[in-house]
Amino acid sequence: MALSTKEIHALVGDVRRVLRPGGVFVYTVRHTGDAHHGTGTAHGDDIFEHGGFAVHFFPRELVDALADGWNLQEVHAFEEGELPRRLWRVTQTLSR
């Protein structure tokens, strides 16, 4: 997920455009509290590459900005893997 912040905003805009009122949008992202954030090869815009795989690490402010015009239902923090990777599962809905 090496999309720029601008590209991510456009993507969420497209999801909003095609989702029906009352629809649910759920996504997961690694966040800036992850151990890999700020390490590896920096590509700007909170994107860092490790082992040939680039990741855009999300600050909470970006999650909130992406929820503008949506009903933000939940930002659930969880971990996975041995590092562990730190992620958020974000759930937001469109008003009916």
Side-chain angles (χ1 to χ4, degrees), residues 28-51:
T28 60
V29 292
R30 287 171 75 178
H31 61 73
T32 54
D34 187 277
H36 276 160
H37 177 256
T39 67
T41 304
H43 294 279
D45 204 14
D46 276 323
I47 299 171
F48 295 90
E49 183 178 342
H50 296 271

Side-chain angles (χ1 to χ4, degrees), residues 9-77:
H9 275 280
L11 176 75
V12 172
D14 284 344
V15 171
R16 181 186 180 110
R17 182 178 53 79
V18 300
L19 199 62
R20 292 181 181 183
V24 179
F25 176 37
V26 179
Y27 64 93
T28 60
V29 292
R30 287 171 75 178
H31 61 73
T32 54
D34 187 277
H36 276 160
H37 177 256
T39 67
T41 304
H43 294 279
D45 204 14
D46 276 323
I47 299 171
F48 295 90
E49 183 178 342
H50 296 271
F53 187 74
V55 175
H56 189 141
F57 294 88
F58 281 44
R60 178 58 196 247
E61 295 81 14
L62 178 54
V63 170
D64 291 340
L66 294 172
D68 187 39
W70 297 75
N71 298 313
L72 183 59
Q73 301 296 314
E74 179 182 40
V75 179
H76 173 75

Side-chain angles (χ1 to χ4, degrees), residues 1-4 7 47 54-56:
M1 168 92 150
L3 300 175
S4 70
E7 291 169 322
I47 299 171
V55 175
H56 189 141

